[in-house]
């Protein structure tokens, strides 16, 4: 898969792209991330990319011309183009899966108050937010989307691991333990030491449900009722 990112701060991405699972996926050629410095597409002496909003108000808006030149250079009209903005659709695992299926994406990381609406109208296929809080720009959200997508690219993560994970099953994960058996006076639950796989499976599922009910009750709507006949909440 190929992802191109238009940003005023490409340097924020460099270490992130090298590290861990994503770094390996890139070295193996499974995912290509291209960083595009928006400022390279400015034409004036100061290489400015933003301006004051028409109608007044606080902050600055990313100007259409440099963005349009950058997006044209990336052939964005023929690729799935996502604008990261707090006004977008809330990102979840389903939306990540949809993005991966596009295979070729352009991400626009906004700054300031946002980008000129005509760029949205002309180039943007989807607007995505990573949550209901305000960040200073779309760079961290773009990294969030890239990392989440990279895990779904074939060959990056073992299928078995993917299936285990939170949210794919629509629930929060069960608690994990590793050695030692006792730490700070707390023992690993006996069932995990038993070697009894069916019992371990039941324990983990019960833990998932309890933890989901506690932390994310809205995720349980429908799921538990259907599989366990459990209707109380
Ligand atoms: Cl995509 N951008 C910004 N600036 N803030 C956000 C966001 C995006 N998602 C949540 N907060």
């Amino acid at each position: 898969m190929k992802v191109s990112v238009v940003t005023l701060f490409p340097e924020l991405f460099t270490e992130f792209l090298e590290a861990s699972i994503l770094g390996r996926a890139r070295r193996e050629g499974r995912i290509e991330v291209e960083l595009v410095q928006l400022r390279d597409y400015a034409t004036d002496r100061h290489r400015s990319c933003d301006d004051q909003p028409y109608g007044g108000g606080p902050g600055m808006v990313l100007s259409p011309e440099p963005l349009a030149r950058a997006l044209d250079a990336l052939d964005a009209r023929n690729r799935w183009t996502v604008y990261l903005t707090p006004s977008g659709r809330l990102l979840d695992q389903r939306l990540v899966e949809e993005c991966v299926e596009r295979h070729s994406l352009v991400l626009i990381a906004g700054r300031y108050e946002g980008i000129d609406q005509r760029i949205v109208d002309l180039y943007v296929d989807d607007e995505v937010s990573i949550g209901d809080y305000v960040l200073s720009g779309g760079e961290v959200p773009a990294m969030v989307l890239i990392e989440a997508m990279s895990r779904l690219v074939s060959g990056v993560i073992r299928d078995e691991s993917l299936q285990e994970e939170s949210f794919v099953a629509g629930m929060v994960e069960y608690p994990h333990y590793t050695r030692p058996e006792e730490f700070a006076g707390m023992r690993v639950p006996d069932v995990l030491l038993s070697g009894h796989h069916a019992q371990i499976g039941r324990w983990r599922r019960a833990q998932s449900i309890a933890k989901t009910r506690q932390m994310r009750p809205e995720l349980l709507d429908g799921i538990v009722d259907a599989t366990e006949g459990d209707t109380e909440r």
Side-chain angles (χ1 to χ4, degrees), residues 83-91 108-114 127-142:
Y83 170 37
L84 284 313
T85 166
S87 319
R89 294 204 283 159
L90 211 50
L91 184 65
I108 305 171
R111 279 267 152 180
Y112 318 116
E113 297 310 305
E127 299 175 64
V128 171
S129 162
I130 64 164
D132 293 333
Y133 38 80
V134 180
L135 303 170
S136 303
E139 283 77 12
V140 168

Side-chain angles (χ1 to χ4, degrees), residues 3 24 29 36-37 40 43 53 59 69 77 85-86 89 110 128 163 170 175 192 201 205:
V3 184
R24 193 187 65 212
V36 175
Q37 169 56 269
D40 292 346
T43 49
R69 281 189 288 269
R77 281 182 200 256
T85 166
R89 294 204 283 159
V128 171
Q163 278 166 20
L192 297 180
R205 178 164 173 79

Side-chain angles (χ1 to χ4, degrees), residues 2 7 23 25 34-35 37 55 61 63 68 80 84 95 136 155 171-172 175-176 191 206 210 212 228 232:
K2 175 162 178 179
T7 170
E34 174 186 28
L35 299 172
Q37 169 56 269
V61 176
S63 305
W80 192 253
L84 284 313
L95 185 44
S136 303
M171 265 197 278
V172 168
H176 304 280
V191 62
T212 306
E228 311 251 306
E232 68 179 326

Side-chain angles (χ1 to χ4, degrees), residues 95-107:
L95 185 44
V96 175
E97 286 164 13
E98 279 176 34
C99 287
V100 170
E101 282 163 19
R102 305 289 176 181
H103 295 294
S104 175
L105 273 89
V106 176
L107 306 183

